[in-house]
Each structure stands twice: as structure tokens, then as C-alpha cells.
């Protein structure tokens, strides 16, 4: 298993390096740095998984590091989305008259009065940024608290008893994660129709699947399979250790597949930025197309000419 994991990690690094070199050479300077940071999510999570296979006792710290780094990359992906539009102002202009899809999971069941109903404006864009950005900061603080409590013997990984700090740290982490995920989903759902020329759908899917494999997979294994005895005990390896080995090996293989997909779509040619000549009111705006600046200019010229003819 360790040999295959080493090959997978080397492959991840090679694919990442090839993709980043292409991005640096071919993309506009405004996209280069953010795109490179987003792409690091695959080798960094792969490295955490590889180290988790080598050092079983370090899994608690490696898992926290992986979740923290993914939270940072979520914010960078949101920043890249806004850069595809050309910034917040162009995003607001493009989405003028539309309402952002605030009734999106994981907070879609909230009362309607909680969700903003105003049309797109810069305040809502900043609210999305705050929702996404709070998660890595909260995760960082929780990681410091977790290490401190673990050293004092008050924290045990995956121990859900009320006398263990893991339960309370995890509750705060999940609440923060849901708020961050909510802002992230609102941002990308509003951009799906507008950024098809940037192959936005496969890019966001390959990124989001990292989240599914990182959190949901671990939740299923540690909260369901291990307690029910589905994971066997292979002395001297305990079921918990064996589960961590399975999770780390699975994640490494999945990351290689996702990196291949991401490499393909990030290397495809894209426009310099999204065009503002057409407006799509997908999320609640009117049905009429927005008039372009050229159309307004043409109508203005026609009015001037008519005025001159009337004076004659």
C-alpha cells in the first residue's frame, strides 16, 4: 500500500507542476496567482494523506491541517470566480436586476425572512466573502484549542461523549463550515450560467468533490462503520487505525483522478474575462436582455441627428 501511495503522491506533484507551468505561461497575470493557489489543494491534501499513512499518531493534526487548508482554498476559489468577472463591480453589472440564490443548501431550510431578497449589490458580495472567509479563521482557532486540550488529555479524536472536548469543538467547526459552505455555494450557483466559457462547472465539481471525499467519507467511516464493527480488528492494528489507513489511501487515489480532471479543464483556452454584452436573469431578474453600451450609444447618436434635422 505504501508503494502505491508514494506513486500516487509523485503523480499528483507532477500533474500539479505541469498545470501550474501552463497557467503561468498562458493565462492573464490577474488569474495566475489565484489559480495556482486553488490547484495546490490537490497535492497538499495528498501530502496530508500520505503522511497519515506513514505516521498514524499524527492523523489528528494532519486532518486538522487538511481541513484548514481546504477552507483557505475555498476563499481563493471564490476570489478566482470574481476575477473571471473582472472584479466585484463587473459582477454586479453582469448580474444587475438578479437576486442571488440565498435559499441554497446547506441553509435552504431557513425561514425566508433570514435570506436577503434585494438584487445583487456589493454589500451582498462582501457578505459572501465574509461567510467564506470566517471558516478558515475559526478552523485555525479551533486547531490551536484542539492541540492544547489534547496535550492536557481532554481531547480524544472521534470520542463523542459529553465529557470529551471533541464533541464541542466539532459542533463549532461544523456550524462554521456550514456558513462558509453556504456562502461558497451561493457564489458559484450565481456564476454557473455566466462562466460557461471558463469551463466553470467541471472546475467547481472537481474542487467540491475534494470536500466530499475529505469530510463525508471520514464521517461515514468513523461515525458508522467503526462503531458498528464493519471495520475489522487486525492485531496489532486497531479498527480506528485501520479505518484511517483506508481513508488516507482512498483519498490519495481520488485526488489523483480529480487532479487529472482539473488539469484538463484548467489547460483549455478561455477568454480574458466574462463579456458584459448579454445579461442572463437566471436568479429572479426580468426576461428582457440588457441593452449594451453600444446600443445606448447608437440610440444617442440617432437622437442628436434627429434634433439637428428638426432645427433645420
Amino acid at each position: 500500500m505504501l508503494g502505491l501511495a508514494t506513486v500516487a503522491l509523485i503523480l499528483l506533484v507532477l500533474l500539479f507542476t505541469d498545470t501550474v507551468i501552463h497557467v503561468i505561461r498562458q493565462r492573464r497575470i490577474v488569474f495566475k496567482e489565484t489559480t495556482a493557489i486553488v490547484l495546490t489543494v490537490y497535492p497538499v491534501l495528498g501530502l496530508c494523506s500520505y503522511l497519515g499513512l506513514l505516521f498514524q499518531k499524527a492523523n489528528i493534526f494532519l486532518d486538522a491541517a487538511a481541513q484548514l487548508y481546504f477552507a483557505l482554498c475555498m476563499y481563493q476559489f471564490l476570489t478566482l470566480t470574481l476575477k473571471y468577472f473582472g472584479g466585484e463591480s463587473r459582477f454586479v453589472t453582469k448580474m444587475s436586476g438578479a437576486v442571488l440564490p440565498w435559499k441554497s443548501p446547506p441553509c435552504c431550510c431557513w425561514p425566508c425572512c433570514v435570506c436577503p431578497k434585494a438584487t445583487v449589490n456589493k454589500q451582498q458580495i462582501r457578505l459572501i466573502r465574509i461567510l467564506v472567509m470566517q471558516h478558515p479563521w475559526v478552523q485555525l482557532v479551533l486547531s490551536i484549542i484542539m492541540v492544547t486540550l489534547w496535550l492536557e488529555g481532554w481531547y480524544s479524536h472521534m470520542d463523542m461523549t459529553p465529557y470529551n472536548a471533541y464533541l464541542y469543538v466539532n459542533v463549532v467547526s461544523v456550524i462554521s463550515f456550514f456558513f462558509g459552505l453556504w456562502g461558497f455555494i451561493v457564489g458559484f450557483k450565481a456564476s454557473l450560467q455566466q462562466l460557461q466559457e471558463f469551463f466553470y462547472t467541471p472546475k467547481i465539481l472537481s474542487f467540491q468533490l475534494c470536500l466530499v471525499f475529505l469530510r463525508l467519507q471520514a464521517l461515514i467511516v468513523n461515525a458508522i462503520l467503526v462503531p458498528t464493527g464493519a471495520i475489522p480488528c487486525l492485531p496489532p492494528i486497531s479498527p480506528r487505525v485501520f479505518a484511517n489507513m483506508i481513508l488516507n489511501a482512498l483519498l490519495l487515489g481520488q485526488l489523483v483522478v480529480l487532479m487529472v480532471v482539473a488539469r484538463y479543464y484548467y489547460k483549455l483556452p478561455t477568454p480574458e474575462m466574462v463579456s458584459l454584452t448579454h445579461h442572463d436573469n437566471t436568479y429572479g431578474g426580468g426576461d428582457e436582455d440588457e441593452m449594451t453600451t453600444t446600443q445606448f450609444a447608437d440610440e444617442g447618436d440617432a437622437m442628436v441627428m434627429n434634433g439637428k434635422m428638426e432645427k433645420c
Side-chain angles (χ1 to χ4, degrees):
M1 180 183 289
L2 192 58
L4 290 175
T6 305
V7 172
L9 181 63
I10 294 173
L11 191 57
L12 268 175
V13 173
L14 291 176
L15 290 170
F16 164 75
T17 305
D18 177 63
T19 310
V20 169
I21 290 173
H22 176 84
V23 167
I24 292 173
R25 289 178 177 174
Q26 302 295 331
R27 295 290 177 263
R28 290 182 60 213
I29 191 169
V30 70
F31 299 146
K32 291 180 181 179
E33 181 181 355
T34 312
T35 304
I37 294 174
V38 169
L39 287 170
T40 58
V41 72
Y42 304 101
V44 169
L45 294 188
L47 178 62
C48 289
S49 297
Y50 183 76
L51 293 176
L53 285 171
L54 290 177
F55 310 106
Q56 291 296 324
K57 292 182 179 180
N59 263 295
I60 183 175
F61 307 107
L62 293 169
D63 183 60
Q67 293 189 31
L68 175 60
Y69 195 80
F70 186 86
L72 291 169
C73 287
M74 277 178 61
Y75 182 77
Q76 290 299 322
F77 197 99
L78 178 64
T79 303
L80 180 63
T81 300
L82 293 174
K83 285 184 177 182
Y84 282 154
F85 281 96
E88 289 184 6
S89 298
R90 284 175 61 91
F91 180 88
V92 172
T93 302
K94 181 68 177 178
M95 302 295 293
S96 178
V99 178
L100 290 177
W102 288 102
K103 294 182 183 179
S104 299
C107 300
C108 54
C109 299
W110 283 26
C112 297
C113 59
V114 176
C115 301
K117 298 179 181 179
T119 55
V120 178
N121 52 52
K122 284 192 174 183
Q123 285 71 27
Q124 291 196 30
I125 306 303
R126 286 162 191 162
L127 176 59
I128 291 175
R129 282 181 176 271
I130 291 171
L131 285 172
V132 177
M133 192 57 195
Q134 58 81 28
H135 181 47
W137 284 106
V138 172
Q139 195 68 36
L140 176 61
V141 173
L142 290 178
S143 297
I144 296 172
I145 294 173
M146 177 197 71
V147 172
T148 305
L149 294 176
W150 180 78
L151 290 173
E152 293 295 326
W154 296 345
Y155 184 97
S156 180
H157 192 54
M158 291 307 299
D159 186 351
M160 302 295 289
T161 59
Y163 304 103
N164 191 279
Y166 174 83
L167 176 63
Y168 308 103
V169 171
N170 197 53
V171 167
V172 176
S173 176
V174 168
I175 292 173
S176 170
F177 168 71
F178 277 158
F179 275 111
L181 185 62
W182 184 33
F184 184 73
I185 289 176
V186 170
F188 89 74
K189 283 184 71 175
S191 308
L192 279 177
Q193 298 298 323
Q194 315 295 342
L195 298 179
Q196 291 304 314
E197 293 177 331
F198 289 88
F199 307 99
Y200 191 71
T201 302
K203 287 178 181 178
I204 191 69
L205 282 176
S206 61
F207 185 81
Q208 277 195 308
L209 283 174
C210 288
L211 173 64
V212 173
F213 296 145
L214 180 65
R215 278 189 174 263
L216 186 59
Q217 225 168 223
L219 180 64
I220 293 172
V221 171
N222 289 317
I224 299 175
L225 298 184
V226 172
T228 57
I231 304 295
C233 179
L234 302 174
I237 301 175
S238 67
R240 184 74 64 190
V241 172
F242 191 43
N244 287 331
M245 292 175 64
I246 293 173
L247 284 171
N248 288 323
L250 273 176
L251 185 58
L252 259 176
Q254 291 157 347
L255 287 170
V256 171
V257 175
L258 293 178
M259 184 72 246
V260 171
V261 175
R263 174 181 176 273
Y264 174 77
Y265 285 103
Y266 277 98
K267 292 183 76 171
L268 290 176
T270 57
E272 291 192 356
M273 67 177 60
V274 68
S275 172
L276 296 182
T277 57
H278 177 73
H279 175 68
D280 183 7
N281 288 313
T282 307
Y283 298 104
D287 295 329
E288 297 180 358
D289 290 338
E290 183 185 51
M291 296 184 70
T292 63
T293 306
T294 306
Q295 288 173 318
F296 281 118
D298 291 342
E299 290 189 4
D301 293 341
M303 292 173 65
V304 172
M305 292 295 294
N306 288 338
K308 289 181 178 179
M309 291 178 66
E310 288 176 1
K311 287 182 181 180
C312 294

